[in-house]
Amino acid sequence: MRNLLMACVCFPLMLAACNGPLDVTLSDSGDPVKGKAVKQALSPEEAELLGSYVAQHTMAQDIDYKMTVKQAIAARRKELAGNKK
């Protein structure tokens, strides 16, 4: 029982430690510390994709701020691939 309790406490902490800067939500990316980590982790291409995704969906007023940076980049790639077809 004690081991189960310890696992219930430690497992979420280990998962939280595994999150990288691209797992930050769009709403949290405005935080100075998290935003700096995101900017350092992004390649120039990813930064461009993220910026265009945020701009496009902010103007359309359908942006999901609970989405992670990684998900936003993937969504923008998918949108651009769909536009090329």
Side-chain angles (χ1 to χ4, degrees):
M1 185 68 174
R2 185 170 185 235
N3 288 342
L4 180 62
L5 179 62
M6 188 63 106
C8 290
V9 170
C10 292
F11 187 69
L13 293 174
M14 289 187 323
L15 285 178
C18 293
N19 287 345
L22 298 184
D23 293 322
V24 171
T25 61
L26 294 178
S27 62
D28 287 341
S29 65
D31 178 80
V33 174
K34 292 178 182 178
K36 184 177 179 182
V38 168
K39 287 179 185 176
Q40 290 175 344
L42 292 176
S43 69
E45 177 201 7
E46 290 172 329
E48 177 67 29
L49 289 169
L50 179 62
S52 65
Y53 178 85
V54 170
Q56 178 72 30
H57 289 274
T58 300
M59 288 176 22
Q61 297 181 349
D62 66 351
I63 190 164
D64 179 11
Y65 287 105
K66 295 177 185 173
M67 179 180 277
T68 65
V69 170
K70 187 187 320 181
Q71 291 171 331
I73 292 169
R76 187 61 180 164
R77 281 189 176 129
K78 188 174 181 180
E79 289 171 0
L80 293 174
N83 290 340
K84 288 182 181 179
K85 289 182 179 182

